Amino acid sequence: MAYAGLRPNEVRALRWRDVRLRRDGEVVGGFVSVREGRSHGETHTPKTGQREVPVAPELGRLLAGVEGAGGAGREEFVALNERGRAWGQYGIVQAFERVRRKVGVGGWSVYCLEQYASRSLSLDFTDT
């Protein structure tokens, strides 16, 4: 979420068909197409509409490392939980809360990641 500025419902709905990594010998970033959100098991149009979102090089490298892993096809979900299933309604929020408490950071919610990305990505991609 922090590297692409996505909301939890957009992460839950993201499929490999929506990921385009730029490769020129090395992954340097790319784009994801935000086509839908997924809340309470149903898909819907994202809050801010469909859009193309640049991803930071760090996320591009992470995604490249798992793209197609386990035979995942283009229609499979990108973000899976520890059991290899698509995240449920509150799973991403709960995982963020566990990590936040473990590292001792207070006053943050999972939605802070989206805001972080919208500020940092606008700076990172101005020259590309």
Side-chain angles (χ1 to χ4, degrees):
M1 291 178 57
Y3 288 140
L6 303 181
R7 295 174 179 86
N9 70 69
E10 296 167 342
V11 171
R12 286 192 299 273
L14 190 66
R15 296 177 187 267
W16 284 109
R17 69 171 186 236
D18 304 321
V19 177
R20 289 182 316 285
L21 302 175
R22 291 183 291 185
R23 294 186 176 132
D24 192 17
E26 180 180 328
V27 177
V28 293
F31 289 84
V32 295
S33 298
V34 180
R35 300 174 193 224
E36 57 193 14
R38 198 167 125 244
S39 298
H40 302 287
E42 297 183 16
T43 59
H44 54 83
T45 302
K47 180 178 177 180
T48 53
Q50 296 182 349
R51 63 196 188 283
E52 298 289 315
V53 178
V55 296
E58 295 88 347
L59 179 57
R61 286 189 290 274
L62 287 169
L63 290 173
V66 296
E67 186 176 23
R74 302 296 295 162
E75 293 300 315
E76 299 295 325
F77 291 109
V78 173
L80 304 176
N81 63 23
E82 64 277 359
R83 291 184 290 256
R85 297 184 186 137
W87 286 95
Q89 181 64 28
Y90 302 105
I92 293 173
V93 173
Q94 291 170 342
F96 179 83
E97 287 300 312
R98 283 192 302 270
V99 171
R100 186 190 60 74
R101 282 192 302 272
K102 192 172 196 171
V103 298
V105 176
W108 284 51
S109 79
V110 71
Y111 295 95
C112 293
L113 299 175
E114 172 196 355
Q115 297 303 314
Y116 166 81
S118 66
R119 287 176 177 82
S120 65
L121 286 176
S122 64
L123 298 173
D124 290 345
F125 287 94
T126 53
D127 296 329
T128 58

